[in-house]
Amino acid sequence: MIGDKRIQTALKRPLTPFEQLLDLGGSLSKGLLSIIYKMLLDTDKTCFNTKIKKWSKDCAIDFSDKDWMVINTSFMVTTSLLPIKLQSLKLLNRWYFTPSKARYFTHLPQMLCWKGCNSYADYIHCWWSCPIINRFWKDISRCIFDMLGLALSFTPEVFLLSFWNFDTVPSHYRQIVAILLSTAKLEIANKWKSNHPPSVENWFEKLWAFFVMYKITDMVLRQTTSSYK
């Protein structure tokens, strides 16, 4: 195992700032928490910038910091439903494990798409450009048009990041469109490593379950509010 080239390369690389801190052992008696806190803040900025660059490359758009704040805010205020919030955060922070990442942990030269399209599968492929996934998104796009009369631009930034032209999506439709898209992404995530494609039928089932949850939540809030009057 020590003979593996990747391990040899890792052993020869310079230590990261956190590894350097650990290497000091107990020699630091003061200011340790402040040092660690500053390192965590710097790491967060680095991860944030890396995340923006990757999404900019995938969507072929140069996202600004302002654009990214709009995306983050829209993800957080779309709904109070925890499953959608959690899935949105995972997608945005590129949490999902892809075949292209799996090749670093296996002896195979590369890992192909789990849906069986025999293509190299990186993050944007698994979420958008895979023919099977892309067909699902086209079905979702048609359903949204049939329900709301909205013809959304068929691009990854719109369907994955809810980054749309506000002139084309009326304000009273934005929340429902975001929920429709988030539920579709949840359906893809639920079948992430499966060779079974996501289905519109399951998407409708999830929407109905969320609708019931909304009605129950609204009823509880109304009863709670009335009890304090």
Coordinates of all heavy atoms in Angstrom, one line a residue, residues 38-84:
K38 N -9.1 31.5 13.4 CA -8.6 32.3 12.2 C -8.4 31.3 11.0 O -8.8 31.6 9.9 CB -7.4 33.0 12.5 CG -6.9 33.9 11.3 CD -5.7 34.7 11.7 CE -5.3 35.6 10.6 NZ -5.0 34.9 9.3
M39 N -7.9 30.1 11.3 CA -7.6 29.1 10.3 C -9.0 28.7 9.7 O -9.1 28.5 8.5 CB -6.8 28.0 10.8 CG -5.4 28.3 11.1 SD -4.5 26.9 11.9 CE -4.7 25.6 10.8
L40 N -9.9 28.4 10.5 CA -11.3 28.0 10.1 C -11.9 29.1 9.2 O -12.6 28.7 8.2 CB -12.2 27.6 11.3 CG -11.8 26.4 12.0 CD1 -12.7 26.2 13.3 CD2 -11.9 25.1 11.2
L41 N -11.8 30.3 9.6 CA -12.4 31.4 8.8 C -11.7 31.5 7.4 O -12.3 31.6 6.4 CB -12.2 32.7 9.5 CG -13.1 33.0 10.7 CD1 -12.8 34.3 11.4 CD2 -14.6 32.8 10.4
D42 N -10.4 31.4 7.4 CA -9.6 31.4 6.1 C -10.0 30.2 5.2 O -10.1 30.3 4.0 CB -8.1 31.4 6.4 CG -7.6 32.7 7.0 OD1 -8.4 33.7 6.9 OD2 -6.6 32.7 7.7
T43 N -10.1 29.0 5.9 CA -10.5 27.9 5.1 C -11.9 28.0 4.5 O -12.2 27.6 3.4 CB -10.5 26.6 6.0 OG1 -9.2 26.5 6.6 CG2 -10.9 25.4 5.2
D44 N -12.8 28.6 5.3 CA -14.2 28.8 4.8 C -14.2 29.7 3.5 O -14.9 29.5 2.6 CB -15.0 29.4 5.9 CG -16.5 29.6 5.5 OD1 -17.1 28.5 5.2 OD2 -17.0 30.7 5.4
K45 N -13.3 30.8 3.6 CA -13.3 31.7 2.4 C -12.7 31.0 1.2 O -13.2 31.1 0.1 CB -12.4 32.9 2.8 CG -13.0 33.8 3.8 CD -12.0 34.9 4.2 CE -12.6 35.8 5.2 NZ -11.6 36.9 5.6
T46 N -11.7 30.1 1.4 CA -11.1 29.4 0.3 C -12.1 28.4 -0.3 O -12.2 28.3 -1.5 CB -9.9 28.6 0.8 OG1 -8.9 29.5 1.4 CG2 -9.2 27.8 -0.3
C47 N -12.8 27.7 0.6 CA -13.8 26.7 0.1 C -14.9 27.5 -0.7 O -15.4 27.0 -1.7 CB -14.4 26.0 1.3 SG -13.3 24.8 2.1
F48 N -15.3 28.7 -0.1 CA -16.4 29.5 -0.8 C -15.9 29.9 -2.2 O -16.7 29.7 -3.1 CB -16.6 30.7 0.1 CG -17.7 31.6 -0.5 CD1 -19.0 31.3 -0.4 CD2 -17.4 32.8 -1.1 CE1 -20.0 32.1 -0.9 CE2 -18.4 33.6 -1.6 CZ -19.7 33.3 -1.5
N49 N -14.7 30.4 -2.3 CA -14.2 30.8 -3.7 C -14.1 29.6 -4.6 O -14.4 29.7 -5.8 CB -12.9 31.5 -3.5 CG -13.0 32.8 -2.8 OD1 -14.1 33.5 -2.9 ND2 -12.0 33.2 -2.1
T50 N -13.6 28.5 -4.1 CA -13.5 27.3 -4.9 C -14.8 26.8 -5.4 O -15.0 26.4 -6.6 CB -12.8 26.1 -4.1 OG1 -11.5 26.6 -3.6 CG2 -12.6 24.9 -5.0
K51 N -15.8 26.9 -4.5 CA -17.2 26.5 -4.9 C -17.7 27.3 -6.0 O -18.3 26.8 -7.0 CB -18.1 26.5 -3.6 CG -19.5 26.2 -3.9 CD -20.3 26.2 -2.5 CE -20.2 27.5 -1.8 NZ -20.9 27.5 -0.5
I52 N -17.5 28.6 -5.9 CA -18.0 29.6 -6.9 C -17.4 29.3 -8.3 O -18.0 29.2 -9.3 CB -17.8 31.0 -6.5 CG1 -18.6 31.4 -5.3 CG2 -18.1 32.0 -7.7 CD1 -18.4 32.8 -4.8
K53 N -16.0 29.0 -8.2 CA -15.3 28.7 -9.5 C -15.8 27.5 -10.1 O -16.0 27.4 -11.4 CB -13.8 28.6 -9.2 CG -13.1 29.9 -8.8 CD -11.7 29.7 -8.5 CE -11.0 31.1 -8.1 NZ -9.6 30.9 -7.8
K54 N -16.1 26.5 -9.4 CA -16.6 25.2 -9.9 C -17.9 25.3 -10.6 O -18.2 24.8 -11.7 CB -16.6 24.1 -8.9 CG -15.2 23.6 -8.5 CD -15.2 22.5 -7.4 CE -13.9 22.0 -7.1 NZ -13.9 20.9 -6.1
W55 N -18.8 26.0 -9.9 CA -20.2 26.3 -10.4 C -20.1 27.2 -11.6 O -20.9 27.0 -12.6 CB -21.1 26.8 -9.4 CG -21.7 25.8 -8.5 CD1 -21.6 25.7 -7.1 CD2 -22.7 24.8 -8.9 NE1 -22.3 24.6 -6.7 CE2 -23.0 24.1 -7.7 CE3 -23.2 24.4 -10.1 CZ2 -23.9 23.0 -7.7 CZ3 -24.1 23.4 -10.1 CH2 -24.4 22.6 -8.9
S56 N -19.2 28.1 -11.6 CA -19.1 29.0 -12.8 C -18.6 28.2 -14.0 O -19.1 28.5 -15.1 CB -18.0 30.1 -12.4 OG -18.5 31.0 -11.4
K57 N -17.7 27.3 -13.8 CA -17.2 26.5 -14.9 C -18.3 25.6 -15.4 O -18.5 25.4 -16.6 CB -16.0 25.6 -14.4 CG -15.5 24.7 -15.5 CD -14.3 23.9 -14.9 CE -13.8 22.9 -16.0 NZ -12.7 22.0 -15.4
D58 N -19.1 24.9 -14.5 CA -20.1 24.0 -14.9 C -21.2 24.7 -15.6 O -21.8 24.2 -16.6 CB -20.7 23.3 -13.6 CG -19.8 22.3 -13.0 OD1 -18.8 21.9 -13.7 OD2 -20.0 21.9 -11.9
C59 N -21.6 25.9 -15.2 CA -22.7 26.7 -15.8 C -22.2 27.6 -16.9 O -23.1 28.3 -17.6 CB -23.5 27.4 -14.8 SG -24.2 26.4 -13.5
A60 N -20.9 27.7 -17.1 CA -20.4 28.6 -18.1 C -20.8 30.1 -17.9 O -21.2 30.8 -18.8 CB -20.7 28.2 -19.5
I61 N -20.8 30.4 -16.6 CA -21.2 31.8 -16.2 C -20.2 32.3 -15.1 O -19.8 31.5 -14.2 CB -22.6 31.8 -15.5 CG1 -23.7 31.6 -16.6 CG2 -22.9 33.2 -14.9 CD1 -25.1 31.6 -16.1
D62 N -19.8 33.5 -15.2 CA -18.9 34.1 -14.2 C -19.7 34.7 -13.1 O -20.0 35.8 -13.1 CB -18.0 35.1 -14.9 CG -16.9 35.6 -14.0 OD1 -16.6 34.9 -12.9 OD2 -16.3 36.6 -14.2
F63 N -20.0 33.8 -12.1 CA -20.8 34.3 -11.0 C -20.0 35.3 -10.1 O -18.9 35.0 -9.8 CB -21.2 33.1 -10.1 CG -22.2 32.2 -10.7 CD1 -21.9 30.9 -11.0 CD2 -23.5 32.7 -11.0 CE1 -22.9 30.0 -11.5 CE2 -24.5 31.8 -11.6 CZ -24.1 30.5 -11.8
S64 N -20.7 36.4 -9.8 CA -20.0 37.4 -8.9 C -20.4 37.0 -7.5 O -21.3 36.2 -7.2 CB -20.5 38.8 -9.2 OG -21.9 38.9 -9.0
D65 N -19.8 37.7 -6.5 CA -20.2 37.4 -5.1 C -21.6 37.8 -4.8 O -22.3 37.2 -4.1 CB -19.2 38.2 -4.2 CG -17.8 37.7 -4.2 OD1 -17.6 36.6 -4.6 OD2 -16.9 38.4 -3.7
K66 N -22.1 38.9 -5.5 CA -23.5 39.3 -5.4 C -24.4 38.3 -5.9 O -25.4 38.0 -5.3 CB -23.7 40.7 -6.1 CG -25.1 41.2 -5.9 CD -25.2 42.6 -6.6 CE -26.6 43.1 -6.5 NZ -26.8 44.4 -7.2
D67 N -24.1 37.7 -7.1 CA -24.9 36.6 -7.6 C -25.0 35.5 -6.7 O -26.1 34.9 -6.5 CB -24.3 36.1 -9.0 CG -24.4 37.2 -10.1 OD1 -25.2 38.1 -10.0 OD2 -23.5 37.1 -11.0
W68 N -23.9 35.1 -6.1 CA -23.8 34.0 -5.2 C -24.6 34.2 -3.9 O -25.2 33.3 -3.4 CB -22.4 33.6 -4.8 CG -22.3 32.2 -4.4 CD1 -22.0 31.7 -3.2 CD2 -22.5 31.0 -5.3 NE1 -22.0 30.3 -3.2 CE2 -22.3 29.9 -4.5 CE3 -22.8 30.9 -6.6 CZ2 -22.4 28.6 -5.0 CZ3 -22.9 29.6 -7.2 CH2 -22.7 28.5 -6.3
M69 N -24.6 35.5 -3.4 CA -25.5 35.8 -2.3 C -26.9 35.7 -2.6 O -27.7 35.2 -1.8 CB -25.1 37.2 -1.8 CG -23.8 37.4 -1.2 SD -23.5 36.3 0.3 CE -24.7 37.0 1.4
V70 N -27.3 36.0 -3.8 CA -28.7 35.9 -4.2 C -29.1 34.4 -4.3 O -30.2 34.0 -3.8 CB -28.9 36.5 -5.6 CG1 -30.3 36.2 -6.2 CG2 -28.8 38.0 -5.6
I71 N -28.2 33.6 -4.8 CA -28.5 32.1 -4.9 C -28.6 31.5 -3.5 O -29.5 30.8 -3.2 CB -27.3 31.4 -5.7 CG1 -27.4 31.8 -7.1 CG2 -27.5 29.9 -5.5 CD1 -26.2 31.4 -7.9
N72 N -27.7 31.9 -2.6 CA -27.7 31.4 -1.2 C -29.0 31.8 -0.5 O -29.6 31.0 0.2 CB -26.5 31.9 -0.4 CG -25.3 31.0 -0.6 OD1 -25.2 29.9 -0.1 ND2 -24.3 31.4 -1.3
T73 N -29.3 33.0 -0.7 CA -30.5 33.6 0.0 C -31.8 32.9 -0.5 O -32.7 32.5 0.3 CB -30.7 35.1 -0.2 OG1 -29.5 35.7 0.3 CG2 -31.9 35.6 0.5
S74 N -31.9 32.7 -1.8 CA -33.1 32.0 -2.4 C -33.2 30.6 -1.9 O -34.3 30.1 -1.7 CB -33.0 32.1 -3.9 OG -32.0 31.3 -4.4
F75 N -32.1 29.9 -1.7 CA -32.1 28.5 -1.3 C -32.6 28.5 0.2 O -33.3 27.5 0.6 CB -30.7 27.9 -1.3 CG -30.4 27.2 -2.6 CD1 -30.7 27.8 -3.8 CD2 -29.9 26.0 -2.7 CE1 -30.4 27.2 -5.0 CE2 -29.6 25.3 -3.8 CZ -29.9 25.9 -5.1
M76 N -32.3 29.5 1.0 CA -32.6 29.5 2.4 C -34.1 29.9 2.6 O -34.7 29.4 3.6 CB -31.7 30.4 3.2 CG -30.3 29.8 3.3 SD -30.2 28.2 4.2 CE -30.2 27.1 2.8
V77 N -34.6 30.8 1.8 CA -35.9 31.3 2.1 C -37.0 30.7 1.3 O -38.2 31.0 1.4 CB -36.0 32.9 1.9 CG1 -35.0 33.6 2.7 CG2 -35.8 33.2 0.4
T78 N -36.7 29.7 0.4 CA -37.6 29.1 -0.4 C -38.7 28.4 0.4 O -39.9 28.5 0.1 CB -37.0 28.0 -1.4 OG1 -36.1 28.7 -2.2 CG2 -38.0 27.3 -2.2
T79 N -38.3 27.6 1.4 CA -39.3 26.8 2.1 C -38.7 26.6 3.5 O -37.5 26.7 3.8 CB -39.5 25.5 1.4 OG1 -40.4 24.7 2.2 CG2 -38.2 24.7 1.2
S80 N -39.6 26.2 4.4 CA -39.2 25.8 5.8 C -39.1 24.3 5.9 O -38.7 23.8 7.0 CB -40.3 26.3 6.8 OG -41.6 25.8 6.5
L81 N -39.4 23.6 4.9 CA -39.3 22.1 4.9 C -37.8 21.7 5.0 O -37.0 22.0 4.1 CB -39.9 21.5 3.7 CG -41.5 21.7 3.6 CD1 -42.0 21.1 2.3 CD2 -42.1 20.9 4.8
L82 N -37.5 20.9 6.0 CA -36.1 20.5 6.3 C -35.5 19.7 5.2 O -34.4 19.9 4.8 CB -36.0 19.8 7.6 CG -34.6 19.4 8.1 CD1 -33.7 20.6 8.2 CD2 -34.7 18.7 9.4
P83 N -36.3 18.7 4.6 CA -35.7 17.8 3.6 C -35.2 18.7 2.4 O -34.1 18.4 1.8 CB -36.8 16.9 3.2 CG -37.7 16.8 4.4 CD -37.6 18.2 5.0
I84 N -36.0 19.7 2.0 CA -35.6 20.5 0.9 C -34.4 21.4 1.2 O -33.5 21.6 0.4 CB -36.8 21.4 0.4 CG1 -37.9 20.5 -0.3 CG2 -36.4 22.4 -0.6 CD1 -39.1 21.2 -0.8

